[in-house]
PDB file of all heavy atoms in Angstrom:
ATOM      1  N   MET A  15     113.269  93.526  10.381  1.00  0.00           N
ATOM      2  CA  MET A  15     113.776  92.485  11.270  1.00  0.00           C
ATOM      3  C   MET A  15     114.063  91.173  10.546  1.00  0.00           C
ATOM      4  O   MET A  15     113.498  90.894   9.492  1.00  0.00           O
ATOM      5  CB  MET A  15     112.736  92.210  12.358  1.00  0.00           C
ATOM      6  CG  MET A  15     112.645  93.265  13.420  1.00  0.00           C
ATOM      7  SD  MET A  15     114.071  93.241  14.529  1.00  0.00           S
ATOM      8  CE  MET A  15     113.707  91.776  15.524  1.00  0.00           C
ATOM      9  N   MET A  16     114.882  90.346  11.175  1.00  0.00           N
ATOM     10  CA  MET A  16     115.088  88.966  10.735  1.00  0.00           C
ATOM     11  C   MET A  16     113.733  88.289  10.602  1.00  0.00           C
ATOM     12  O   MET A  16     112.913  88.371  11.516  1.00  0.00           O
ATOM     13  CB  MET A  16     115.891  88.188  11.788  1.00  0.00           C
ATOM     14  CG  MET A  16     117.291  88.687  11.991  1.00  0.00           C
ATOM     15  SD  MET A  16     118.045  88.000  13.501  1.00  0.00           S
ATOM     16  CE  MET A  16     117.647  89.273  14.693  1.00  0.00           C
ATOM     17  N   LEU A 124     121.798  85.674  16.236  1.00  0.00           N
ATOM     18  CA  LEU A 124     121.267  86.502  17.331  1.00  0.00           C
ATOM     19  C   LEU A 124     120.034  85.863  17.980  1.00  0.00           C
ATOM     20  O   LEU A 124     119.650  86.248  19.081  1.00  0.00           O
ATOM     21  CB  LEU A 124     120.914  87.906  16.825  1.00  0.00           C
ATOM     22  CG  LEU A 124     122.092  88.757  16.332  1.00  0.00           C
ATOM     23  CD1 LEU A 124     121.597  90.090  15.795  1.00  0.00           C
ATOM     24  CD2 LEU A 124     123.100  88.980  17.455  1.00  0.00           C
ATOM     25  N   LEU A 125     119.433  84.879  17.303  1.00  0.00           N
ATOM     26  CA  LEU A 125     118.215  84.267  17.853  1.00  0.00           C
ATOM     27  C   LEU A 125     118.467  82.885  18.449  1.00  0.00           C
ATOM     28  O   LEU A 125     117.533  82.192  18.840  1.00  0.00           O
ATOM     29  CB  LEU A 125     117.130  84.186  16.767  1.00  0.00           C
ATOM     30  CG  LEU A 125     116.710  85.529  16.162  1.00  0.00           C
ATOM     31  CD1 LEU A 125     115.557  85.338  15.191  1.00  0.00           C
ATOM     32  CD2 LEU A 125     116.325  86.528  17.247  1.00  0.00           C
ATOM     33  N   LEU A 132     111.308  86.511  23.144  1.00  0.00           N
ATOM     34  CA  LEU A 132     111.687  87.673  23.949  1.00  0.00           C
ATOM     35  C   LEU A 132     112.856  88.417  23.281  1.00  0.00           C
ATOM     36  O   LEU A 132     112.894  89.652  23.247  1.00  0.00           O
ATOM     37  CB  LEU A 132     112.070  87.227  25.364  1.00  0.00           C
ATOM     38  CG  LEU A 132     112.449  88.349  26.323  1.00  0.00           C
ATOM     39  CD1 LEU A 132     111.269  89.299  26.553  1.00  0.00           C
ATOM     40  CD2 LEU A 132     112.932  87.788  27.660  1.00  0.00           C
ATOM     41  N   LYS A 133     113.792  87.659  22.739  1.00  0.00           N
ATOM     42  CA  LYS A 133     114.953  88.267  22.066  1.00  0.00           C
ATOM     43  C   LYS A 133     114.481  89.117  20.883  1.00  0.00           C
ATOM     44  O   LYS A 133     114.912  90.255  20.697  1.00  0.00           O
ATOM     45  CB  LYS A 133     115.898  87.140  21.607  1.00  0.00           C
ATOM     46  CG  LYS A 133     117.292  87.579  21.200  1.00  0.00           C
ATOM     47  CD  LYS A 133     118.208  87.843  22.376  1.00  0.00           C
ATOM     48  CE  LYS A 133     119.438  88.647  21.997  1.00  0.00           C
ATOM     49  NZ  LYS A 133     120.526  87.865  21.445  1.00  0.00           N
ATOM     50  N   ILE A 134     113.579  88.544  20.083  1.00  0.00           N
ATOM     51  CA  ILE A 134     113.047  89.289  18.929  1.00  0.00           C
ATOM     52  C   ILE A 134     112.348  90.560  19.413  1.00  0.00           C
ATOM     53  O   ILE A 134     112.541  91.648  18.865  1.00  0.00           O
ATOM     54  CB  ILE A 134     112.047  88.410  18.126  1.00  0.00           C
ATOM     55  CG1 ILE A 134     112.785  87.280  17.405  1.00  0.00           C
ATOM     56  CG2 ILE A 134     111.267  89.252  17.117  1.00  0.00           C
ATOM     57  CD1 ILE A 134     111.866  86.234  16.773  1.00  0.00           C
ATOM     58  N   THR A 135     111.550  90.412  20.462  1.00  0.00           N
ATOM     59  CA  THR A 135     110.803  91.563  21.002  1.00  0.00           C
ATOM     60  C   THR A 135     111.765  92.667  21.437  1.00  0.00           C
ATOM     61  O   THR A 135     111.563  93.855  21.130  1.00  0.00           O
ATOM     62  CB  THR A 135     109.939  91.115  22.205  1.00  0.00           C
ATOM     63  OG1 THR A 135     109.131  90.018  21.781  1.00  0.00           O
ATOM     64  CG2 THR A 135     109.052  92.226  22.716  1.00  0.00           C
ATOM     65  N   ASN A 136     112.835  92.278  22.115  1.00  0.00           N
ATOM     66  CA  ASN A 136     113.794  93.276  22.612  1.00  0.00           C
ATOM     67  C   ASN A 136     114.590  93.916  21.476  1.00  0.00           C
ATOM     68  O   ASN A 136     114.819  95.127  21.485  1.00  0.00           O
ATOM     69  CB  ASN A 136     114.735  92.634  23.627  1.00  0.00           C
ATOM     70  CG  ASN A 136     114.010  92.350  24.933  1.00  0.00           C
ATOM     71  OD1 ASN A 136     112.990  92.978  25.228  1.00  0.00           O
ATOM     72  ND2 ASN A 136     114.507  91.390  25.696  1.00  0.00           N
ATOM     73  N   ILE A 137     115.001  93.108  20.508  1.00  0.00           N
ATOM     74  CA  ILE A 137     115.763  93.679  19.377  1.00  0.00           C
ATOM     75  C   ILE A 137     114.873  94.654  18.610  1.00  0.00           C
ATOM     76  O   ILE A 137     115.301  95.748  18.235  1.00  0.00           O
ATOM     77  CB  ILE A 137     116.300  92.555  18.445  1.00  0.00           C
ATOM     78  CG1 ILE A 137     117.328  91.691  19.175  1.00  0.00           C
ATOM     79  CG2 ILE A 137     116.916  93.155  17.175  1.00  0.00           C
ATOM     80  CD1 ILE A 137     117.809  90.479  18.370  1.00  0.00           C
ATOM     81  N   LEU A 138     113.618  94.268  18.404  1.00  0.00           N
ATOM     82  CA  LEU A 138     112.709  95.166  17.669  1.00  0.00           C
ATOM     83  C   LEU A 138     112.528  96.488  18.421  1.00  0.00           C
ATOM     84  O   LEU A 138     112.560  97.561  17.820  1.00  0.00           O
ATOM     85  CB  LEU A 138     111.358  94.466  17.428  1.00  0.00           C
ATOM     86  CG  LEU A 138     110.288  95.306  16.724  1.00  0.00           C
ATOM     87  CD1 LEU A 138     110.777  95.842  15.373  1.00  0.00           C
ATOM     88  CD2 LEU A 138     109.005  94.488  16.519  1.00  0.00           C
ATOM     89  N   LYS A 139     112.397  96.405  19.744  1.00  0.00           N
ATOM     90  CA  LYS A 139     112.251  97.630  20.543  1.00  0.00           C
ATOM     91  C   LYS A 139     113.452  98.555  20.345  1.00  0.00           C
ATOM     92  O   LYS A 139     113.312  99.762  20.199  1.00  0.00           O
ATOM     93  CB  LYS A 139     112.124  97.284  22.031  1.00  0.00           C
ATOM     94  CG  LYS A 139     110.696  97.239  22.502  1.00  0.00           C
ATOM     95  CD  LYS A 139     110.642  97.149  24.040  1.00  0.00           C
ATOM     96  CE  LYS A 139     109.416  96.341  24.446  1.00  0.00           C
ATOM     97  NZ  LYS A 139     109.668  95.406  25.526  1.00  0.00           N
ATOM     98  N   GLU A 140     114.648  97.948  20.358  1.00  0.00           N
ATOM     99  CA  GLU A 140     115.868  98.752  20.203  1.00  0.00           C
ATOM    100  C   GLU A 140     115.959  99.407  18.825  1.00  0.00           C
ATOM    101  O   GLU A 140     116.540 100.462  18.661  1.00  0.00           O
ATOM    102  CB  GLU A 140     117.107  97.860  20.331  1.00  0.00           C
ATOM    103  CG  GLU A 140     117.480  97.490  21.737  1.00  0.00           C
ATOM    104  CD  GLU A 140     118.517  96.367  21.732  1.00  0.00           C
ATOM    105  OE1 GLU A 140     119.208  96.164  20.707  1.00  0.00           O
ATOM    106  OE2 GLU A 140     118.610  95.677  22.758  1.00  0.00           O
ATOM    107  N   ARG A 141     115.430  98.712  17.814  1.00  0.00           N
ATOM    108  CA  ARG A 141     115.657  99.160  16.435  1.00  0.00           C
ATOM    109  C   ARG A 141     114.502  99.910  15.799  1.00  0.00           C
ATOM    110  O   ARG A 141     114.671 100.508  14.729  1.00  0.00           O
ATOM    111  CB  ARG A 141     115.937  97.928  15.550  1.00  0.00           C
ATOM    112  CG  ARG A 141     117.208  97.217  15.904  1.00  0.00           C
ATOM    113  CD  ARG A 141     117.401  96.060  14.942  1.00  0.00           C
ATOM    114  NE  ARG A 141     118.631  95.327  15.202  1.00  0.00           N
ATOM    115  CZ  ARG A 141     118.958  94.196  14.594  1.00  0.00           C
ATOM    116  NH1 ARG A 141     118.139  93.686  13.680  1.00  0.00           N
ATOM    117  NH2 ARG A 141     120.093  93.589  14.872  1.00  0.00           N
ATOM    118  N   GLU A 142     113.334  99.841  16.440  1.00  0.00           N
ATOM    119  CA  GLU A 142     112.121 100.320  15.785  1.00  0.00           C
ATOM    120  C   GLU A 142     112.238 101.753  15.264  1.00  0.00           C
ATOM    121  O   GLU A 142     111.837 102.064  14.148  1.00  0.00           O
ATOM    122  CB  GLU A 142     110.956 100.221  16.761  1.00  0.00           C
ATOM    123  CG  GLU A 142     109.631 100.087  16.090  1.00  0.00           C
ATOM    124  CD  GLU A 142     108.571  99.532  17.029  1.00  0.00           C
ATOM    125  OE1 GLU A 142     108.756  99.593  18.271  1.00  0.00           O
ATOM    126  OE2 GLU A 142     107.557  99.054  16.510  1.00  0.00           O
ATOM    127  N   TYR A 145     114.243 101.703  12.000  1.00  0.00           N
ATOM    128  CA  TYR A 145     113.470 101.208  10.847  1.00  0.00           C
ATOM    129  C   TYR A 145     112.466 102.268  10.391  1.00  0.00           C
ATOM    130  O   TYR A 145     112.178 102.408   9.200  1.00  0.00           O
ATOM    131  CB  TYR A 145     112.713  99.927  11.200  1.00  0.00           C
ATOM    132  CG  TYR A 145     113.584  98.708  11.426  1.00  0.00           C
ATOM    133  CD1 TYR A 145     113.368  97.865  12.517  1.00  0.00           C
ATOM    134  CD2 TYR A 145     114.608  98.373  10.539  1.00  0.00           C
ATOM    135  CE1 TYR A 145     114.140  96.732  12.725  1.00  0.00           C
ATOM    136  CE2 TYR A 145     115.389  97.237  10.749  1.00  0.00           C
ATOM    137  CZ  TYR A 145     115.156  96.422  11.841  1.00  0.00           C
ATOM    138  OH  TYR A 145     115.916  95.302  12.046  1.00  0.00           O
TER     139      TYR A 145
END
Side-chain angles (χ1 to χ4, degrees):
M15 285 288 285
M16 295 166 267
L124 295 177
L125 301 185
L132 182 63
K133 194 79 196 277
I134 290 171
T135 306
N136 288 337
I137 295 174
L138 177 56
K139 263 191 212 138
E140 282 167 21
R141 295 182 179 173
E142 206 161 19
Y145 291 135

